[in-house]
Amino acid sequence: MHAINYDAPTTLDQAVSILKTHGENARPFCGGTDIIIQLRAGVRRTEHLVDVKKIKELQVLSFDAKKGLRLGAAVPCIEISESDVMRRHYPGLTEAAHLIGSLQIQNRASVGGNLCNGSPAADTTPALIVLGARARIVGPNGEREVPVEAFVVSPGRTVLKPGELLVELLVPAPAPHSSDAYLRFIPRNEMDIAVVGVGAAVTLDGDKVKAARIALAAVGPTPILASKAADAIIGMKLDDAALEAAGRAASAACSPIDDMRGTAEFRLHITAVLTRRVLSIAAERAKKN
Amino acid sequence: MSKKTLVEATINGETVEFLCEPRQSLLETLRDVLELTGSKEGCLTGDCGACTVLVEGRPVCSCLMLGVEAQGKNITTVEGLATNGVLSVLQNKFLEHAALQCGICTPGFLISAKSLLDRNPKPTEHDVRYALAGNLCRCTGYDKIVKAVLDAAAAIRSQGEGKAAAR
Ligand SMILES: Cc1cc2nc3c(=O)[nH]c(=O)nc-3n(C[C@@H](O)[C@@H](O)[C@H](O)COP(=O)(O)OP(=O)(O)OC[C@H]3O[C@@H](n4cnc5c(N)ncnc54)[C@H](O)[C@@H]3O)c2cc1C
Ligand code: FES
Ligand code: FES
């Protein structure tokens, strides 16, 4: 790896001021599970790493039944998968965090870093999107909030401008009779990048769908909010016909590529299958809430 | 070259101070600066687990952590498993079960297994396989390693019972 400088500020103000001073030449640094590999491989360059893990706002993990979840950008995935509160209220986001790498990786990798890395295949991003999560960003010009579905703009690029950092993810409290789920397809049991990932959140009114959100990973240049797939089931009973319709609409929202992990055609097929499955799981969970 | 940083950490129970460049991984720092060459370099991409060490009791890939991040941290490497040159129960069980051939992966497996046993003294086979999923071995296959860890867990438990009975 080329020479770099390293800072580990303990406050947001310090972090923003260091990032501002170095502009394009600095990058936030969290668990390092993407950035260290990218720097070593020469696919990203930076002169200055600003470690954000010591800033307390970025380590918050708190749930309130009315206000919902505050998930600090630096909270490692292991804290999410080991949290009973997360498993109970956001099972889909929890299973997405739990899918990332091995225990070694989960002890370091953050959900914030998973999002900021900007990969279309990031597992936790669709899981955040279906929950209606917003990203709270702080930078030299103050604060702003961006819905997670608008955060990634192209592969590896996000809405973050030089000097800005992601502070936390704000997730609304789950509505009554609602829940979420996330599934991905990989050719082996563990430790691989999604060929397709599908997240869903469903709110039921009796046996009908009152509200739904479906989001897709690895089937386009960015994570995708498949609004038409959700529209296809609103007001409907989740029977086979409704699931089929949602699956078809989800495939139609994709613009996949052929690569070593799978062909575009295969991805379209798997998107429909996973959409049906993940909706059924989310709905089963929602019935119990 | 960027300037070197002074880092103070507790490694295998001893407070150490060392100088490292921010671009150096913890693995490089351990091996090249501190001459603790037990932790191995396999892939440098977080896939093989040969570089696994405990940081605050949690297993991490030292190839994906910077040496400067060790500041103030408590770190255990494979060199910290034996006591005064006497191998730990876990290490002995690896030998007894022939759970290694070339041995490159062994330090990482030992650290992941230790982390499991510290947390869960009575793991199932599934627990063991799950805890070791981030460690790859190209030589032995995994059965002997899994058996060694299960047997170590049993031996440590009966040692504990022995001590309790003697009291
Ligand atoms: C072996 C292995 C297996 C993996 N398996 C999976 C998997 O199954 N699914 C999956 O989705 N991912 C997987 N990953 C990738 C996953 O670990 C990363 O995406 C991780 O979540 C990134 O978080 P981090 O804290 O390590 O970020 P870092 O690597 O520190 O940073 C990632 C990027 O985000 C930026 N960044 C970090 N924090 C902030 C912030 N607060 N504000 C602004 N920018 C920030 C950095 O500048 C950098 O560009 C795997 C990685 C490895 C090594
Ligand atoms: S060398 Fe670190 S995981 Fe392979
Ligand atoms: S003993 Fe050779 S890699 Fe495991």
Side-chain angles (χ1 to χ4, degrees):
Chain A
M1 197 192 292
H2 60 270
I4 45 167
N5 292 306
Y6 170 88
D7 269 304
T10 53
T11 68
L12 266 179
D13 283 351
Q14 282 169 5
V16 169
S17 120
I18 301 168
L19 284 167
K20 187 183 168 193
T21 308
H22 298 278
E24 303 263 1
N25 295 325
R27 275 196 97 81
F29 171 88
C30 194
T33 62
D34 283 320
I35 191 75
I36 293 181
I37 296 173
Q38 293 163 356
L39 292 174
R40 214 175 254 151
V43 295
R44 282 212 212 258
R45 270 195 81 85
T46 193
E47 280 163 27
H48 213 105
L49 289 180
V50 183
D51 190 338
V52 297
K53 293 192 293 297
K54 294 192 176 151
I55 308 170
K56 71 173 188 311
E57 287 89 339
L58 274 77
Q59 293 290 357
V60 170
L61 176 62
S62 75
F63 175 74
D64 178 281
K66 288 210 182 73
K67 293 187 196 137
L69 173 72
R70 290 179 57 192
L71 173 59
V75 172
C77 288
I78 197 83
E79 265 190 55
I80 295 169
S81 46
E82 287 182 353
S83 154
D84 294 337
V85 170
M86 288 298 297
R87 201 161 283 282
R88 160 139 179 57
H89 297 290
Y90 304 103
L93 177 55
T94 309
E95 58 207 359
H98 191 63
L99 278 174
I100 292 185
S102 57
L103 284 175
Q104 285 97 317
I105 301 301
Q106 287 181 26
N107 281 324
R108 294 273 296 168
S110 62
V111 169
N114 201 218
L115 177 62
C116 293
N117 183 53
S119 163
D123 284 308
T124 59
T125 306
L128 287 169
I129 292 174
V130 297
L131 292 170
R134 284 162 304 135
R136 183 158 84 90
I137 298 166
V138 167
N141 302 321
E143 265 194 53
R144 60 185 180 124
E145 276 182 26
V146 173
V148 172
E149 58 267 31
F151 194 88
V152 180
V153 295
S154 64
R157 292 205 149 264
T158 68
V159 294
L160 292 177
K161 301 196 189 80
E164 285 189 322
L165 86 163
L166 175 67
V167 179
E168 60 182 349
L169 294 150
L170 302 167
V171 187
H177 314 298
S178 74
S179 194
D180 64 327
Y182 179 78
L183 284 177
R184 73 171 180 189
F185 178 84
I186 56 172
R188 46 195 292 224
N189 286 335
E190 293 286 340
M191 298 282 289
D192 208 341
I193 298 171
V195 177
V196 177
V198 184
V202 173
T203 306
L204 297 177
D205 180 6
D207 60 358
K208 300 229 171 78
V209 177
K210 188 172 158 195
R213 277 165 81 88
I214 296 167
L216 314 171
V219 289
T222 66
I224 297 167
L225 172 63
S227 305
K228 287 198 178 131
D231 292 346
I233 54 171
I234 305 284
M236 313 267 284
K237 247 176 88 170
L238 262 192
D239 54 15
D240 287 350
L243 291 173
E244 286 284 339
R248 266 196 310 275
S251 295
C254 306
S255 50
I257 52 166
D258 292 323
D259 71 7
M260 63 172 186
R261 294 176 195 283
T263 60
E265 189 190 354
F266 178 70
R267 286 191 154 102
L268 292 177
H269 174 71
I270 296 292
T271 302
V273 175
L274 289 188
T275 300
R276 297 198 296 267
R277 287 186 194 163
V278 82
L279 279 171
S280 305
I281 297 170
E284 276 310 308
R285 288 174 179 165
K287 279 182 199 158
K288 296 183 194 127
N289 286 342
Chain B
M1 202 175 73
S2 56
K3 68 174 191 297
K4 291 196 175 178
T5 307
L6 180 67
V7 177
E8 187 184 308
T10 306
I11 300 185
N12 300 327
E14 271 178 51
T15 307
V16 292
E17 279 190 1
F18 56 88
L19 282 170
C20 71
E21 285 177 64
R23 59 165 198 86
Q24 286 180 300
S25 67
L26 176 62
L27 177 63
E28 273 178 84
T29 316
L30 289 169
R31 291 180 56 87
D32 301 345
V33 180
L34 295 166
E35 296 183 1
L36 291 169
T37 54
S39 308
K40 300 301 181 212
E41 177 183 313
C43 62
L44 290 184
T45 51
D47 292 295
C48 76
C51 64
T52 305
V53 301
L54 299 182
V55 178
E56 302 297 330
R58 299 271 193 180
V60 308
C61 296
S62 60
C63 72
L64 294 187
M65 176 168 163
L66 301 175
V68 286
E69 286 184 81
Q71 174 58 41
K73 294 277 193 294
N74 197 345
I75 292 169
T76 305
T77 69
V78 72
E79 286 90 346
L81 297 193
T83 322
N84 300 325
V86 180
L87 295 186
S88 65
V89 173
L90 182 64
Q91 287 169 305
N92 274 314
K93 290 297 176 190
F94 266 63
L95 291 175
E96 253 177 58
H97 286 265
L100 61 143
Q101 284 180 24
C102 78
I104 282 280
C105 68
T106 313
F109 272 101
L110 287 168
I111 291 290
S112 288
K114 174 183 161 52
S115 152
L116 169 70
L117 300 185
D118 285 350
R119 232 167 286 273
N120 177 1
K122 220 176 164 182
T124 62
E125 180 177 336
H126 180 268
D127 296 336
V128 173
R129 288 189 185 270
Y130 184 82
L132 301 182
N135 294 82
L136 302 182
C137 175
R138 295 300 295 169
C139 303
T140 62
Y142 297 95
D143 280 342
K144 290 175 175 175
I145 296 173
V146 172
K147 284 193 183 120
V149 176
L150 285 167
D151 197 17
I156 294 167
R157 284 200 305 274
S158 68
Q159 253 183 10
E161 281 158 23
K163 271 189 205 146
R167 243 183 262 138

